[in-house]
Amino acid sequence: MKLAIDQQKLVSEIETLATFSDAQAPAVTRVVFTETERKARDWVKDRCEDAGLVIWDDAIGNTFARWVGSDPHAPAVGTGSHIDAIPNAGKYDGVVGVLGGLEAIRALQRSGFHPKHSIELLIFTSEEPTRFGIGCLGSRLLSGTLSAEAARKLTDNDGVSVEDVRRKAGLAGELEKVKLHPGAYKAFVELHIEQGPILEREGKPLGVVERIAAPASLRITVEGSGGHAGGVLMPDRHDALCAAAELILALEHAARSTGAIDTVATVGICDVFPGAVNSIPAKVRLSVDVRDTSLQRRGEVLRALDEACRATSEDREVAIQTEVLNADAPAECGPPVIAALSAACEKHGFSFLPMTSRAYHDSLFMSRIAPAAMLFIPCRNGYSHRPDEYASPEDISRGALVLAEALAMLAE
Ligand SMILES: [Zn+2]
């Protein structure tokens, strides 16, 4: 089997897909279920059809493009990613895994390889949380992590329900049918840009992801009492922002204290009410994001935060309310898929770095129903989710080549 990636074609397809955008180039904005996103998806489906793949969509709009294997009833080997992009993003996030996955399939076809297991390209719906406030909508439903009932309750930023939005996009069928039966996939592997600086820093062309961290997101509301910045004396104050500051530092301390490099905690939003220079903060809303590859360690940090909330509330006589918005479990990647990716790198003489994915991806949810792993390629300066996101043609085609090799091993 002589595998070769058509680098020029792959790069030109990435460039063309970037023209389906609601932002000025080089920025890409492609929000799920907009006209632009639907056109982009149709364009990719046409490319899949050119490759002779069998294509269908499920009720939430996940696209499947299958190269039917010699044993069509055997579980398929899946690959793919997403093509939706947050406002003012770049060309490569998700896209490299979709068009790179398609090119990997075409390279296998050109090589004369015939898979026993079908090889299937997936384009997931709404990996980005831009529209519905929840990431990986398609893969959550596929894996049963999110129920059809819970999905129907989601609304977009204009208050329109998922149900209405998808039906307007022409997707019929019931959301209940999206969940895949166990054993639908023998393996799943996702090619993706790293979205971090480690590969570049270490001078490695590829990363084989062994575990995927997952965030717990919380909203904390602190209510104290406001008043005039001059009139209320210090002993009488119940300043909500001072209380919130204690919580932020307690969270930082808790995350540092685990001693594990994989534990990270962030307060990214701090809304202060009423928000005037001469007014004592009466109310503060914080967003909290805690991530780890270990559910137990992440739990320890959350418990420490809880304890800080209790103590601060008591000491400062403020009311503190915590709401858990989301707490997905992290995932260990599938050993057979890690082995196939590692063997594929070695076969082609590429060195690679075993890695942790600190961002989460559709693979996190696919790992609930199949052995899954990811292959990372470097991106310049680790930049992602911005217009100057960049991966070199060489790195992209190297990733597609290793992906093709690994798919062949898994589909044999
Ligand atoms: Zn992505």
mmCIF file of all heavy atoms in Angstrom, residues 34-80:
data_model
loop_
_atom_site.group_PDB
_atom_site.id
_atom_site.type_symbol
_atom_site.label_atom_id
_atom_site.label_comp_id
_atom_site.label_asym_id
_atom_site.label_seq_id
_atom_site.Cartn_x
_atom_site.Cartn_y
_atom_site.Cartn_z
ATOM 1 N N THR A 34 -26.765 28.455 10.448
ATOM 2 C CA THR A 34 -26.943 29.655 9.639
ATOM 3 C C THR A 34 -26.873 29.223 8.172
ATOM 4 O O THR A 34 -26.413 28.123 7.859
ATOM 5 C CB THR A 34 -25.838 30.695 9.896
ATOM 6 O OG1 THR A 34 -24.568 30.068 9.654
ATOM 7 C CG2 THR A 34 -25.885 31.214 11.325
ATOM 8 N N GLU A 35 -27.296 30.104 7.287
ATOM 9 C CA GLU A 35 -27.265 29.772 5.866
ATOM 10 C C GLU A 35 -25.836 29.456 5.420
ATOM 11 O O GLU A 35 -25.597 28.522 4.656
ATOM 12 C CB GLU A 35 -27.833 30.966 5.083
ATOM 13 C CG GLU A 35 -28.308 30.590 3.715
ATOM 14 C CD GLU A 35 -28.705 31.815 2.906
ATOM 15 O OE1 GLU A 35 -29.137 32.818 3.526
ATOM 16 O OE2 GLU A 35 -28.574 31.763 1.676
ATOM 17 N N THR A 36 -24.905 30.230 5.945
ATOM 18 C CA THR A 36 -23.497 30.041 5.587
ATOM 19 C C THR A 36 -23.011 28.656 6.011
ATOM 20 O O THR A 36 -22.334 27.962 5.251
ATOM 21 C CB THR A 36 -22.633 31.121 6.279
ATOM 22 O OG1 THR A 36 -23.137 32.391 5.875
ATOM 23 C CG2 THR A 36 -21.183 30.999 5.915
ATOM 24 N N GLU A 37 -23.366 28.256 7.211
ATOM 25 C CA GLU A 37 -22.920 26.944 7.701
ATOM 26 C C GLU A 37 -23.567 25.822 6.903
ATOM 27 O O GLU A 37 -22.922 24.816 6.598
ATOM 28 C CB GLU A 37 -23.247 26.814 9.193
ATOM 29 C CG GLU A 37 -22.596 25.612 9.857
ATOM 30 C CD GLU A 37 -23.523 24.429 10.078
ATOM 31 O OE1 GLU A 37 -24.730 24.508 9.722
ATOM 32 O OE2 GLU A 37 -23.041 23.407 10.586
ATOM 33 N N ARG A 38 -24.832 26.002 6.535
ATOM 34 C CA ARG A 38 -25.505 24.953 5.747
ATOM 35 C C ARG A 38 -24.870 24.820 4.380
ATOM 36 O O ARG A 38 -24.667 23.728 3.868
ATOM 37 C CB ARG A 38 -27.007 25.247 5.580
ATOM 38 C CG ARG A 38 -27.833 25.327 6.830
ATOM 39 C CD ARG A 38 -27.465 24.345 7.898
ATOM 40 N NE ARG A 38 -27.929 22.989 7.687
ATOM 41 C CZ ARG A 38 -27.531 21.935 8.432
ATOM 42 N NH1 ARG A 38 -26.652 22.094 9.391
ATOM 43 N NH2 ARG A 38 -28.004 20.735 8.206
ATOM 44 N N LYS A 39 -24.523 25.976 3.774
ATOM 45 C CA LYS A 39 -23.880 25.935 2.441
ATOM 46 C C LYS A 39 -22.512 25.278 2.530
ATOM 47 O O LYS A 39 -22.120 24.513 1.650
ATOM 48 C CB LYS A 39 -23.736 27.355 1.886
ATOM 49 C CG LYS A 39 -25.023 27.904 1.321
ATOM 50 C CD LYS A 39 -24.776 29.243 0.642
ATOM 51 C CE LYS A 39 -26.077 29.838 0.120
ATOM 52 N NZ LYS A 39 -26.003 31.303 0.025
ATOM 53 N N ALA A 40 -21.778 25.599 3.600
ATOM 54 C CA ALA A 40 -20.446 25.012 3.779
ATOM 55 C C ALA A 40 -20.560 23.494 3.906
ATOM 56 O O ALA A 40 -19.797 22.732 3.314
ATOM 57 C CB ALA A 40 -19.779 25.606 5.018
ATOM 58 N N ARG A 41 -21.551 23.067 4.681
ATOM 59 C CA ARG A 41 -21.743 21.622 4.899
ATOM 60 C C ARG A 41 -22.109 20.932 3.585
ATOM 61 O O ARG A 41 -21.589 19.866 3.262
ATOM 62 C CB ARG A 41 -22.830 21.415 5.957
ATOM 63 C CG ARG A 41 -22.958 19.995 6.462
ATOM 64 C CD ARG A 41 -23.962 19.928 7.598
ATOM 65 N NE ARG A 41 -23.410 20.395 8.849
ATOM 66 C CZ ARG A 41 -22.922 19.592 9.801
ATOM 67 N NH1 ARG A 41 -22.925 18.293 9.647
ATOM 68 N NH2 ARG A 41 -22.434 20.095 10.906
ATOM 69 N N ASP A 42 -22.993 21.567 2.813
ATOM 70 C CA ASP A 42 -23.362 20.988 1.521
ATOM 71 C C ASP A 42 -22.142 20.872 0.608
ATOM 72 O O ASP A 42 -21.996 19.903 -0.130
ATOM 73 C CB ASP A 42 -24.448 21.841 0.842
ATOM 74 C CG ASP A 42 -25.799 21.662 1.536
ATOM 75 O OD1 ASP A 42 -25.954 20.682 2.305
ATOM 76 O OD2 ASP A 42 -26.696 22.507 1.327
ATOM 77 N N TRP A 43 -21.285 21.889 0.682
ATOM 78 C CA TRP A 43 -20.083 21.866 -0.155
ATOM 79 C C TRP A 43 -19.182 20.681 0.248
ATOM 80 O O TRP A 43 -18.675 19.962 -0.615
ATOM 81 C CB TRP A 43 -19.335 23.199 -0.025
ATOM 82 C CG TRP A 43 -18.120 23.269 -0.884
ATOM 83 C CD1 TRP A 43 -18.059 23.611 -2.217
ATOM 84 C CD2 TRP A 43 -16.777 22.971 -0.485
ATOM 85 N NE1 TRP A 43 -16.765 23.532 -2.651
ATOM 86 C CE2 TRP A 43 -15.963 23.141 -1.622
ATOM 87 C CE3 TRP A 43 -16.192 22.561 0.711
ATOM 88 C CZ2 TRP A 43 -14.580 22.928 -1.589
ATOM 89 C CZ3 TRP A 43 -14.829 22.350 0.760
ATOM 90 C CH2 TRP A 43 -14.031 22.530 -0.395
ATOM 91 N N VAL A 44 -19.035 20.454 1.538
ATOM 92 C CA VAL A 44 -18.217 19.314 1.985
ATOM 93 C C VAL A 44 -18.886 18.001 1.573
ATOM 94 O O VAL A 44 -18.223 17.066 1.121
ATOM 95 C CB VAL A 44 -17.988 19.345 3.512
ATOM 96 C CG1 VAL A 44 -17.198 18.113 3.958
ATOM 97 C CG2 VAL A 44 -17.252 20.613 3.941
ATOM 98 N N LYS A 45 -20.216 17.971 1.683
ATOM 99 C CA LYS A 45 -20.924 16.737 1.294
ATOM 100 C C LYS A 45 -20.712 16.428 -0.191
ATOM 101 O O LYS A 45 -20.561 15.268 -0.567
ATOM 102 C CB LYS A 45 -22.424 16.879 1.583
ATOM 103 C CG LYS A 45 -22.779 16.724 3.053
ATOM 104 C CD LYS A 45 -24.264 16.430 3.184
ATOM 105 C CE LYS A 45 -24.907 17.351 4.167
ATOM 106 N NZ LYS A 45 -26.361 17.172 4.258
ATOM 107 N N ASP A 46 -20.679 17.486 -1.008
ATOM 108 C CA ASP A 46 -20.406 17.269 -2.435
ATOM 109 C C ASP A 46 -19.031 16.646 -2.638
ATOM 110 O O ASP A 46 -18.849 15.779 -3.488
ATOM 111 C CB ASP A 46 -20.489 18.597 -3.210
ATOM 112 C CG ASP A 46 -21.933 19.068 -3.387
ATOM 113 O OD1 ASP A 46 -22.852 18.246 -3.164
ATOM 114 O OD2 ASP A 46 -22.131 20.253 -3.721
ATOM 115 N N ARG A 47 -18.050 17.108 -1.853
ATOM 116 C CA ARG A 47 -16.694 16.533 -1.967
ATOM 117 C C ARG A 47 -16.722 15.054 -1.551
ATOM 118 O O ARG A 47 -16.037 14.227 -2.114
ATOM 119 C CB ARG A 47 -15.691 17.284 -1.073
ATOM 120 C CG ARG A 47 -15.626 18.810 -1.270
ATOM 121 C CD ARG A 47 -14.844 19.209 -2.501
ATOM 122 N NE ARG A 47 -15.586 19.086 -3.748
ATOM 123 C CZ ARG A 47 -16.606 19.879 -4.127
ATOM 124 N NH1 ARG A 47 -17.038 20.859 -3.358
ATOM 125 N NH2 ARG A 47 -17.211 19.678 -5.278
ATOM 126 N N CYS A 48 -17.546 14.747 -0.539
ATOM 127 C CA CYS A 48 -17.656 13.355 -0.070
ATOM 128 C C CYS A 48 -18.302 12.488 -1.154
ATOM 129 O O CYS A 48 -17.926 11.338 -1.358
ATOM 130 C CB CYS A 48 -18.483 13.269 1.209
ATOM 131 S SG CYS A 48 -17.678 14.043 2.625
ATOM 132 N N GLU A 49 -19.285 13.086 -1.822
ATOM 133 C CA GLU A 49 -19.964 12.355 -2.883
ATOM 134 C C GLU A 49 -19.000 12.058 -4.028
ATOM 135 O O GLU A 49 -18.988 10.959 -4.573
ATOM 136 C CB GLU A 49 -21.153 13.184 -3.378
ATOM 137 C CG GLU A 49 -22.280 12.337 -3.917
ATOM 138 C CD GLU A 49 -23.516 13.192 -4.164
ATOM 139 O OE1 GLU A 49 -24.069 13.697 -3.168
ATOM 140 O OE2 GLU A 49 -23.878 13.374 -5.334
ATOM 141 N N ASP A 50 -18.165 13.059 -4.345
ATOM 142 C CA ASP A 50 -17.139 12.856 -5.378
ATOM 143 C C ASP A 50 -16.252 11.661 -5.040
ATOM 144 O O ASP A 50 -15.733 10.994 -5.926
ATOM 145 C CB ASP A 50 -16.246 14.103 -5.515
ATOM 146 C CG ASP A 50 -16.996 15.283 -6.110
ATOM 147 O OD1 ASP A 50 -18.100 15.073 -6.656
ATOM 148 O OD2 ASP A 50 -16.480 16.422 -6.019
ATOM 149 N N ALA A 51 -16.054 11.428 -3.728
ATOM 150 C CA ALA A 51 -15.184 10.324 -3.302
ATOM 151 C C ALA A 51 -15.957 9.002 -3.215
ATOM 152 O O ALA A 51 -15.418 7.991 -2.774
ATOM 153 C CB ALA A 51 -14.541 10.656 -1.956
ATOM 154 N N GLY A 52 -17.213 9.024 -3.637
ATOM 155 C CA GLY A 52 -17.998 7.791 -3.669
ATOM 156 C C GLY A 52 -18.509 7.350 -2.307
ATOM 157 O O GLY A 52 -18.834 6.174 -2.123
ATOM 158 N N LEU A 53 -18.587 8.285 -1.355
ATOM 159 C CA LEU A 53 -19.037 7.908 -0.013
ATOM 160 C C LEU A 53 -20.564 7.941 0.066
ATOM 161 O O LEU A 53 -21.222 8.693 -0.658
ATOM 162 C CB LEU A 53 -18.444 8.859 1.041
ATOM 163 C CG LEU A 53 -16.919 9.047 0.986
ATOM 164 C CD1 LEU A 53 -16.454 9.957 2.119
ATOM 165 C CD2 LEU A 53 -16.179 7.713 1.038
ATOM 166 N N VAL A 54 -21.121 7.117 0.933
ATOM 167 C CA VAL A 54 -22.572 7.092 1.149
ATOM 168 C C VAL A 54 -22.882 8.092 2.267
ATOM 169 O O VAL A 54 -22.324 8.002 3.355
ATOM 170 C CB VAL A 54 -23.032 5.677 1.562
ATOM 171 C CG1 VAL A 54 -24.538 5.659 1.803
ATOM 172 C CG2 VAL A 54 -22.629 4.656 0.508
ATOM 173 N N ILE A 55 -23.771 9.047 1.971
ATOM 174 C CA ILE A 55 -23.937 10.191 2.886
ATOM 175 C C ILE A 55 -25.342 10.252 3.463
ATOM 176 O O ILE A 55 -26.325 10.055 2.753
ATOM 177 C CB ILE A 55 -23.662 11.500 2.109
ATOM 178 C CG1 ILE A 55 -22.257 11.450 1.512
ATOM 179 C CG2 ILE A 55 -23.804 12.715 3.013
ATOM 180 C CD1 ILE A 55 -22.070 12.419 0.370
ATOM 181 N N TRP A 56 -25.443 10.544 4.753
ATOM 182 C CA TRP A 56 -26.740 10.851 5.348
ATOM 183 C C TRP A 56 -26.560 11.765 6.556
ATOM 184 O O TRP A 56 -25.462 11.887 7.100
ATOM 185 C CB TRP A 56 -27.491 9.574 5.738
ATOM 186 C CG TRP A 56 -26.926 8.810 6.892
ATOM 187 C CD1 TRP A 56 -27.327 8.875 8.187
ATOM 188 C CD2 TRP A 56 -25.860 7.846 6.865
ATOM 189 N NE1 TRP A 56 -26.579 8.015 8.969
ATOM 190 C CE2 TRP A 56 -25.671 7.374 8.183
ATOM 191 C CE3 TRP A 56 -25.040 7.346 5.848
ATOM 192 C CZ2 TRP A 56 -24.699 6.432 8.508
ATOM 193 C CZ3 TRP A 56 -24.071 6.405 6.178
ATOM 194 C CH2 TRP A 56 -23.912 5.956 7.498
ATOM 195 N N ASP A 57 -27.650 12.423 6.940
ATOM 196 C CA ASP A 57 -27.650 13.278 8.127
ATOM 197 C C ASP A 57 -28.600 12.664 9.149
ATOM 198 O O ASP A 57 -29.604 12.069 8.779
ATOM 199 C CB ASP A 57 -28.208 14.669 7.787
ATOM 200 C CG ASP A 57 -27.200 15.523 7.028
ATOM 201 O OD1 ASP A 57 -26.019 15.144 6.967
ATOM 202 O OD2 ASP A 57 -27.623 16.569 6.495
ATOM 203 N N ASP A 58 -28.303 12.862 10.434
ATOM 204 C CA ASP A 58 -29.279 12.454 11.438
ATOM 205 C C ASP A 58 -30.152 13.662 11.806
ATOM 206 O O ASP A 58 -30.030 14.744 11.213
ATOM 207 C CB ASP A 58 -28.590 11.801 12.655
ATOM 208 C CG ASP A 58 -27.728 12.780 13.438
ATOM 209 O OD1 ASP A 58 -27.841 14.001 13.221
ATOM 210 O OD2 ASP A 58 -26.937 12.312 14.286
ATOM 211 N N ALA A 59 -31.016 13.486 12.790
ATOM 212 C CA ALA A 59 -32.028 14.508 13.081
ATOM 213 C C ALA A 59 -31.439 15.799 13.658
ATOM 214 O O ALA A 59 -32.077 16.847 13.602
ATOM 215 C CB ALA A 59 -33.075 13.939 14.036
ATOM 216 N N ILE A 60 -30.236 15.752 14.214
ATOM 217 C CA ILE A 60 -29.629 16.985 14.736
ATOM 218 C C ILE A 60 -28.648 17.574 13.715
ATOM 219 O O ILE A 60 -28.049 18.631 13.939
ATOM 220 C CB ILE A 60 -28.951 16.753 16.122
ATOM 221 C CG1 ILE A 60 -28.650 18.079 16.837
ATOM 222 C CG2 ILE A 60 -27.696 15.905 16.008
ATOM 223 C CD1 ILE A 60 -29.868 18.901 17.191
ATOM 224 N N GLY A 61 -28.510 16.878 12.557
ATOM 225 C CA GLY A 61 -27.665 17.434 11.495
ATOM 226 C C GLY A 61 -26.237 16.930 11.486
ATOM 227 O O GLY A 61 -25.419 17.415 10.702
ATOM 228 N N ASN A 62 -25.899 15.955 12.344
ATOM 229 C CA ASN A 62 -24.595 15.316 12.198
ATOM 230 C C ASN A 62 -24.571 14.650 10.827
ATOM 231 O O ASN A 62 -25.535 13.986 10.440
ATOM 232 C CB ASN A 62 -24.398 14.205 13.251
ATOM 233 C CG ASN A 62 -24.262 14.743 14.664
ATOM 234 O OD1 ASN A 62 -23.463 15.647 14.910
ATOM 235 N ND2 ASN A 62 -25.015 14.172 15.592
ATOM 236 N N THR A 63 -23.466 14.840 10.104
ATOM 237 C CA THR A 63 -23.348 14.232 8.778
ATOM 238 C C THR A 63 -22.436 13.016 8.847
ATOM 239 O O THR A 63 -21.385 13.060 9.495
ATOM 240 C CB THR A 63 -22.774 15.251 7.782
ATOM 241 O OG1 THR A 63 -23.673 16.359 7.693
ATOM 242 C CG2 THR A 63 -22.597 14.637 6.396
ATOM 243 N N PHE A 64 -22.858 11.944 8.182
ATOM 244 C CA PHE A 64 -22.073 10.718 8.100
ATOM 245 C C PHE A 64 -21.765 10.466 6.635
ATOM 246 O O PHE A 64 -22.666 10.552 5.800
ATOM 247 C CB PHE A 64 -22.874 9.526 8.642
ATOM 248 C CG PHE A 64 -23.377 9.738 10.055
ATOM 249 C CD1 PHE A 64 -24.513 10.498 10.298
ATOM 250 C CD2 PHE A 64 -22.697 9.185 11.127
ATOM 251 C CE1 PHE A 64 -24.977 10.696 11.598
ATOM 252 C CE2 PHE A 64 -23.151 9.382 12.430
ATOM 253 C CZ PHE A 64 -24.288 10.140 12.663
ATOM 254 N N ALA A 65 -20.509 10.188 6.324
ATOM 255 C CA ALA A 65 -20.126 9.876 4.941
ATOM 256 C C ALA A 65 -19.297 8.605 4.987
ATOM 257 O O ALA A 65 -18.186 8.602 5.503
ATOM 258 C CB ALA A 65 -19.338 11.024 4.334
ATOM 259 N N ARG A 66 -19.867 7.541 4.483
ATOM 260 C CA ARG A 66 -19.306 6.209 4.718
ATOM 261 C C ARG A 66 -18.679 5.603 3.465
ATOM 262 O O ARG A 66 -19.270 5.575 2.399
ATOM 263 C CB ARG A 66 -20.423 5.287 5.220
ATOM 264 C CG ARG A 66 -19.986 3.847 5.433
ATOM 265 C CD ARG A 66 -21.083 3.033 6.078
ATOM 266 N NE ARG A 66 -21.166 3.301 7.503
ATOM 267 C CZ ARG A 66 -21.538 2.390 8.412
ATOM 268 N NH1 ARG A 66 -21.869 1.172 8.037
ATOM 269 N NH2 ARG A 66 -21.597 2.699 9.685
ATOM 270 N N TRP A 67 -17.453 5.142 3.645
ATOM 271 C CA TRP A 67 -16.795 4.302 2.646
ATOM 272 C C TRP A 67 -17.079 2.868 3.086
ATOM 273 O O TRP A 67 -16.535 2.400 4.082
ATOM 274 C CB TRP A 67 -15.300 4.596 2.630
ATOM 275 C CG TRP A 67 -14.532 3.803 1.608
ATOM 276 C CD1 TRP A 67 -15.004 3.161 0.512
ATOM 277 C CD2 TRP A 67 -13.111 3.589 1.609
ATOM 278 N NE1 TRP A 67 -13.993 2.567 -0.179
ATOM 279 C CE2 TRP A 67 -12.823 2.808 0.470
ATOM 280 C CE3 TRP A 67 -12.068 3.980 2.448
ATOM 281 C CZ2 TRP A 67 -11.517 2.401 0.160
ATOM 282 C CZ3 TRP A 67 -10.777 3.579 2.138
ATOM 283 C CH2 TRP A 67 -10.502 2.807 1.004
ATOM 284 N N VAL A 68 -17.966 2.222 2.369
ATOM 285 C CA VAL A 68 -18.472 0.930 2.826
ATOM 286 C C VAL A 68 -17.386 -0.136 2.706
ATOM 287 O O VAL A 68 -16.762 -0.298 1.655
ATOM 288 C CB VAL A 68 -19.734 0.527 2.027
ATOM 289 C CG1 VAL A 68 -20.254 -0.825 2.494
ATOM 290 C CG2 VAL A 68 -20.818 1.597 2.182
ATOM 291 N N GLY A 69 -17.179 -0.853 3.799
ATOM 292 C CA GLY A 69 -16.149 -1.890 3.830
ATOM 293 C C GLY A 69 -16.634 -3.207 3.267
ATOM 294 O O GLY A 69 -17.819 -3.369 2.950
ATOM 295 N N SER A 70 -15.730 -4.161 3.168
ATOM 296 C CA SER A 70 -16.095 -5.466 2.595
ATOM 297 C C SER A 70 -17.009 -6.241 3.545
ATOM 298 O O SER A 70 -17.715 -7.141 3.124
ATOM 299 C CB SER A 70 -14.837 -6.275 2.282
ATOM 300 O OG SER A 70 -14.120 -6.514 3.480
ATOM 301 N N ASP A 71 -16.983 -5.879 4.823
ATOM 302 C CA ASP A 71 -17.937 -6.455 5.775
ATOM 303 C C ASP A 71 -18.839 -5.320 6.263
ATOM 304 O O ASP A 71 -18.598 -4.717 7.305
ATOM 305 C CB ASP A 71 -17.186 -7.099 6.951
ATOM 306 C CG ASP A 71 -18.135 -7.792 7.924
ATOM 307 O OD1 ASP A 71 -19.378 -7.683 7.740
ATOM 308 O OD2 ASP A 71 -17.642 -8.423 8.874
ATOM 309 N N PRO A 72 -19.883 -5.009 5.486
ATOM 310 C CA PRO A 72 -20.673 -3.800 5.771
ATOM 311 C C PRO A 72 -21.387 -3.841 7.116
ATOM 312 O O PRO A 72 -21.805 -2.796 7.623
ATOM 313 C CB PRO A 72 -21.674 -3.734 4.619
ATOM 314 C CG PRO A 72 -21.613 -5.020 3.915
ATOM 315 C CD PRO A 72 -20.364 -5.744 4.310
ATOM 316 N N HIS A 73 -21.534 -5.047 7.700
ATOM 317 C CA HIS A 73 -22.235 -5.121 8.990
ATOM 318 C C HIS A 73 -21.285 -5.000 10.178
ATOM 319 O O HIS A 73 -21.731 -4.876 11.320
ATOM 320 C CB HIS A 73 -23.056 -6.404 9.061
ATOM 321 C CG HIS A 73 -24.070 -6.487 7.956
ATOM 322 N ND1 HIS A 73 -25.118 -5.592 7.865
ATOM 323 C CD2 HIS A 73 -24.167 -7.294 6.872
ATOM 324 C CE1 HIS A 73 -25.831 -5.868 6.778
ATOM 325 N NE2 HIS A 73 -25.265 -6.891 6.154
ATOM 326 N N ALA A 74 -20.001 -5.050 9.920
ATOM 327 C CA ALA A 74 -19.030 -4.884 11.011
ATOM 328 C C ALA A 74 -19.054 -3.428 11.473
ATOM 329 O O ALA A 74 -19.363 -2.525 10.688
ATOM 330 C CB ALA A 74 -17.636 -5.258 10.510
ATOM 331 N N PRO A 75 -18.757 -3.171 12.752
ATOM 332 C CA PRO A 75 -18.769 -1.775 13.217
ATOM 333 C C PRO A 75 -17.771 -0.914 12.445
ATOM 334 O O PRO A 75 -16.700 -1.395 12.067
ATOM 335 C CB PRO A 75 -18.386 -1.885 14.694
ATOM 336 C CG PRO A 75 -17.835 -3.250 14.888
ATOM 337 C CD PRO A 75 -18.414 -4.121 13.819
ATOM 338 N N ALA A 76 -18.155 0.313 12.189
ATOM 339 C CA ALA A 76 -17.331 1.202 11.362
ATOM 340 C C ALA A 76 -16.180 1.795 12.178
ATOM 341 O O ALA A 76 -16.206 1.831 13.401
ATOM 342 C CB ALA A 76 -18.196 2.320 10.805
ATOM 343 N N VAL A 77 -15.188 2.270 11.457
ATOM 344 C CA VAL A 77 -14.115 3.061 12.060
ATOM 345 C C VAL A 77 -14.418 4.516 11.718
ATOM 346 O O VAL A 77 -14.520 4.864 10.537
ATOM 347 C CB VAL A 77 -12.745 2.630 11.516
ATOM 348 C CG1 VAL A 77 -11.650 3.564 12.031
ATOM 349 C CG2 VAL A 77 -12.445 1.187 11.916
ATOM 350 N N GLY A 78 -14.609 5.335 12.718
ATOM 351 C CA GLY A 78 -15.027 6.720 12.492
ATOM 352 C C GLY A 78 -13.866 7.688 12.572
ATOM 353 O O GLY A 78 -12.900 7.478 13.303
ATOM 354 N N THR A 79 -13.985 8.761 11.795
ATOM 355 C CA THR A 79 -13.060 9.885 11.938
ATOM 356 C C THR A 79 -13.856 11.148 11.646
ATOM 357 O O THR A 79 -15.001 11.065 11.198
ATOM 358 C CB THR A 79 -11.837 9.753 11.024
ATOM 359 O OG1 THR A 79 -10.899 10.789 11.342
ATOM 360 C CG2 THR A 79 -12.221 9.882 9.546
ATOM 361 N N GLY A 80 -13.294 12.315 11.907
ATOM 362 C CA GLY A 80 -14.010 13.544 11.601
ATOM 363 C C GLY A 80 -13.923 14.538 12.730
ATOM 364 O O GLY A 80 -13.239 14.310 13.736
#
